[in-house]
Structure formats: structure tokens, C-alpha cells
Amino acid sequence: MTQQDKPQVPADKARQARKVLAASFIGTTFEWYDFFIYASAAALVFGPLFFPNVSDFAGQLAAFSTFAVGFIARPLGGIVIGHFGDRVGRKHMLVFCLLSMGLATVLIGLLPTYEQIGIWAPILLVLLRVLQGIGIGGEWGGAVLMAVEYAPPNRRGLYGGFVQIGTPAGLILANLAFLSVVAFVPEDQFLTWGWRVPFLLSAVLVIVGLVIRLQLEETPVFADATAKAPKKEKVPLFVVLRSHWKGVLAGGLTMSSTAMIGYVLIAYILSYGVNNLEMPRSTMITLVLLSSTVWLFTCLIFAHWSDRWGRRRVYTWGALGGLLWAFPFFLLMDTRNLALMTLAMFVLALPLAAMYSPVAAMLSELFPTRLRYTGNSLAYQVGTLFGGAFVPVIATTLYQVYGTSMAISAYIFVSVSIGLIASRFVPETSQISLESAGVAAPMAAR
């Protein structure tokens, strides 16, 4: 086919697609910023501020448990927001998600501590974490669909990758915010008011995100499907669980291993470095920041390769890398040598990027348009619940019980193995059309 024979994308549609990509990336970045500053605060300050009447170990577990609460709420957010996203549309639900996340984050920044209001402090912290979880639970599925449903057929992986890089970008913003506070605010003031600054900054990000998202139009795939079949499913969740449960299960387990590696790098390693290796807070935050940059810049490369070589193949590359690096990672971290620790975290970011990048398109292509918001949200959020929610708690407990980081490495190895096996039951979908997605997609290895 010659260049002139290739179908041309109308200029207005191309402009709208670029706007959607920018909005998906920026909005998702802001949402994950909100979610990740909680992870940093849980690792650094929530134990002594909200659970002061227990041992340091118990306080750290309690703080990480509130972190896990957000994951428990995420499937609920995916179900509820996905329900309306499949019935009403993608755009309106994304605006709701941004508002709920932003409100919860700002209120956490204003929350009194245990010393000021007693038991109500951790109770309110948990309730606001639930609201955060509901918001992020619906955010990912909607942002992915805005990108993937606007994408040309041969670029759905790349377009979905722009949503995926919002995760490391949000993490980078969160760690920059905390690093700035740690660097410029004395220790005693950091524990009183300094930690609140990153949470309160979320108010500015919400305003920017709203301005961008309110300018978007509904996806053409959803609009076409609505025009052809205006009658919607009354309860999309029931149909997904009845007819597409294998896709939810296989996709969710595939995502769970990705989440496990991600939250070792995002949340647990901060606590491990500061509390077990006795490294300075600023050093560990900087390491997370730099490794997140590697994750961000390689994610789009792997996303592009998933369009070229297939979603499952790119995921497999990443999973094999994760298996190979599970034990060397902590062996290098335990040296306390800054160069070797940097190498350990940089290399771990590569399999994470390879596993994470194709997931946006992979999960979206498992479900038909009328069920896609509910289906991809449920698979993703169930995966992150089982794979990511309890990583800091499990890893902290394993180290406490066995006294060696090799127990955590074994945990990583087993988790990634499960994801690798599950991926063999996810069909390769990179070459199908979205109109035929989920219509006859057998969950068998191909």
C-alpha cells in the first residue's frame, strides 16, 4: 500500500486524539501523585503521628495497613464508577474521580494527629484513604479507555502507554514534593507541619486537571457503540462476572505480579532503606525518584513494542527479568553501597516497565465496548489488591520473622511466577479490532 492509499486521519480527530493523550497523561499523573504521597507518608511519618502508643514495628505495620485500605477500596471504585462509565460515558466519570481524589488528599493534609483528637485521627485517616481508593479505582479504567478507544488500531499499546507513564510521573512528583520538604524543613517541623505540604499542593493540581478534562469529548468507539445499540446493560458487573470471568481472573493475576514489583519499588523500599539499612530519608527518596525516571522513560518504549511484537511477549520479557533480578536486588541493596543500591533499583525498574506498559491495552482488549470500563477496571484493581495492597505489610513481616531480605526476594520470585503463568491464559489481542474485542476471545494459551 502506497502512502497515498493509506487511510488518512481527519485533522480534527487527530487534534482531539492528541488532546486526549495529553489529558490522560496529565490527569492520571495528578491522580497517582495523590495516591503516592500517601505511600511516602505511610513509610515516613504516619506511624508515630497516628499510631504513637505502640512499638515502632507495630506502628509501621498499622501505617502500612492504612495504605492497604486504599487498595481494598479500589475494586469498589472500579465497579461503581465502571458501572456508570459503561452506561453514561467515560468523560464524566473521570471528572468525578479527579474531584474525589483531590478532596480526600487535601483533607488528609488538614487532618489532626492522634495527639490532638485521639482515636478519631486514625479513623478519619482510614475513611479518607477509602475515598482515595474509590477515586483511583475508577480513574485508571476511564483514562485508559479514553486513550485506547481514540487510538489507531496499530497504536493502542502506545496510546495506552501514555496513561501508564502517569504512574511513574505521579510517583516522581510525589517524591520530589517530599524530597523538597525533607531537604528544607527541620526534622521536628517535618513531623508537625512539613509532611502536610505535599497533600495541600494537590488542590492546585486538581484545578489544572479539571480544566483539561472538561474540554474532552466522549470516545468515538463508545459513541458508535451507543448509536448502534442504545440499550445499555442494566448491571454491567453481572454480565462481566457471568460471561468474562476468565478474562478478569487471568488479567487480574497478570496485573498482580506487576503491582507486587511496583510497590516494592514505590512503598516498601523507602521503609526498608530508612529503618533496616539506616540510610537517610533523602537518600532513599532520591533513589526511588531516579528509578521511577527509568521506569517512565522505558515504559513508552515497551508500550510501542507491544504493538509490534504483542502484549503477551513484552510482558513475558519483563516477568523473566523480574525472576532473574529478585535475589540480586536485595543482595545489592543490603551492601549499603550507594552505587550498588542505585544499580539494583535502576535494573528493577526495567522489568516493571516491561510488565506494566502493555497492561492498559491488554486488559481493555479483553472486553466488549459495552462492558469495557467495568471489565478492565475490575481486572486491574483486583490484581493490584492481591498483588500490591499488602506488599509493605508482608515484606515487613517476612523480614521481622526470618531476619533476612532473602525471604522478601523469595516472595517476589513466587509472585512474578504466578503472573507469568497467568499470562499464558491471556489471549494475544494486539491484532484484533476493538469492535470484536471480547466477543469470542477464549481464555486459552495461544
Side-chain angles (χ1 to χ4, degrees):
M1 180 180 289
T2 63
Q3 184 66 35
Q4 59 265 34
D5 292 329
K6 292 181 180 180
Q8 299 298 309
V9 179
D12 57 341
K13 186 175 180 180
R15 282 194 299 271
Q16 181 65 14
R18 289 194 295 269
K19 185 186 295 185
V20 165
L21 283 183
S24 296
F25 166 65
I26 293 171
T28 306
T29 298
F30 292 167
E31 291 267 27
W32 282 115
Y33 167 86
D34 288 352
F35 202 75
F36 286 145
I37 55 175
Y38 192 101
S40 298
L44 298 175
V45 298
F46 280 170
L49 292 181
F50 290 90
F51 306 96
N53 296 329
V54 295
S55 67
D56 290 343
F57 171 66
Q60 192 65 68
L61 281 184
F64 279 144
S65 296
T66 67
F67 174 71
V69 165
F71 288 85
I72 297 172
R74 281 167 65 168
L76 175 62
I79 291 169
V80 174
I81 296 171
H83 171 90
F84 291 103
D86 282 327
R87 290 183 57 83
V88 178
R90 296 26 174 149
K91 171 185 172 178
H92 299 297
M93 294 302 101
L94 284 175
V95 171
F96 172 81
C97 291
L98 188 64
L99 285 173
S100 62
M101 277 291 292
L103 176 63
T105 303
V106 171
L107 288 178
I108 290 173
L110 298 172
L111 196 62
T113 63
Y114 188 95
E115 183 180 331
Q116 295 168 311
I117 60 172
I119 192 63
W120 282 106
I123 291 175
L124 291 173
L125 182 66
V126 169
L127 291 176
L128 291 173
R129 183 59 175 171
V130 169
L131 184 57
Q132 272 196 329
I134 290 174
I136 203 68
E139 160 68 25
W140 183 87
V144 161
L145 293 192
M146 289 297 292
V148 170
E149 290 184 348
Y150 260 103
N154 62 339
R155 291 188 177 179
R156 292 196 299 261
L158 179 61
Y159 275 50
F162 276 90
V163 178
Q164 300 300 74
I165 64 172
T167 307
L171 179 60
I172 289 169
L173 281 183
N175 279 285
L176 279 175
F178 263 98
L179 187 61
S180 300
V181 173
V182 168
F184 295 108
V185 176
E187 177 76 13
D188 58 330
Q189 295 182 39
F190 176 76
L191 291 174
T192 54
W193 62 266
W195 68 271
R196 300 178 183 275
V197 174
F199 288 88
L200 298 179
L201 285 176
S202 179
V204 178
L205 302 182
V206 168
I207 294 172
V208 175
L210 277 177
V211 170
I212 294 171
R213 284 195 166 169
L214 288 172
Q215 299 179 34
L216 297 180
E217 299 175 8
E218 192 52 78
T219 72
V221 172
F222 181 80
D224 290 346
T226 300
K228 294 175 182 176
K231 186 177 180 180
K232 308 289 189 355
E233 300 289 351
K234 288 185 178 180
V235 185
L237 175 65
F238 292 168
V239 184
V240 168
L241 293 179
R242 183 177 66 245
S243 303
H244 299 274
W245 64 271
K246 292 181 181 179
V248 172
L249 179 60
L253 287 174
T254 300
M255 181 58 212
S256 69
S257 296
T258 311
M260 195 277 170
I261 292 182
Y263 284 99
V264 166
L265 196 67
I266 290 167
Y268 176 69
I269 205 63
L270 267 178
S271 173
Y272 182 79
V274 172
N275 298 323
N276 298 104
L277 301 181
E278 298 181 345
M279 300 294 292
R281 278 197 188 99
S282 58
T283 298
M284 293 310 303
I285 293 175
T286 301
L287 286 176
V288 173
L289 177 65
L290 294 175
S291 57
S292 300
T293 305
V294 175
W295 176 12
L296 187 153
F297 282 107
T298 57
C299 201
L300 283 182
I301 296 173
F302 288 119
H304 170 65
W305 285 352
S306 79
D307 285 324
R308 184 173 181 179
W309 286 303
R311 321 290 184 222
R312 200 170 64 184
R313 183 177 296 181
V314 172
Y315 179 91
T316 300
W317 295 344
L320 292 174
L323 292 177
L324 291 173
W325 199 244
F327 289 93
F329 173 71
F330 274 103
L331 289 174
L332 293 176
M333 292 298 296
D334 289 346
T335 64
R336 295 182 173 85
N337 180 286
L338 187 57
L340 295 179
M341 293 173 71
T342 303
L343 174 65
M345 295 187 66
F346 274 26
V347 174
L348 187 64
L350 295 176
L352 173 59
M355 295 170 73
Y356 191 60
S357 59
V359 164
M362 178 192 291
L363 296 187
S364 298
E365 291 162 351
L366 293 178
F367 305 98
T369 302
R370 74 185 194 282
L371 305 170
R372 189 169 292 135
Y373 204 142
T374 300
N376 81 342
S377 295
L378 188 61
Y380 182 92
Q381 302 306 342
V382 168
T384 56
L385 170 61
F386 289 106
F390 303 102
V391 165
V393 173
I394 293 172
T396 300
T397 303
L398 284 173
Y399 190 84
Q400 181 75 11
V401 171
Y402 293 101
T404 173
S405 60
M406 292 300 96
I408 308 171
S409 292
Y411 171 40
I412 295 175
F413 190 92
V414 171
S415 177
V416 174
S417 298
I418 292 172
L420 185 59
I421 294 170
S423 70
R424 310 317 299 167
F425 295 90
V426 177
E428 182 52 62
T429 52
S430 58
Q431 301 303 314
I432 68 170
S433 67
L434 283 182
E435 289 74 14
S436 63
V439 175
M443 291 293 116
R446 296 182 180 177

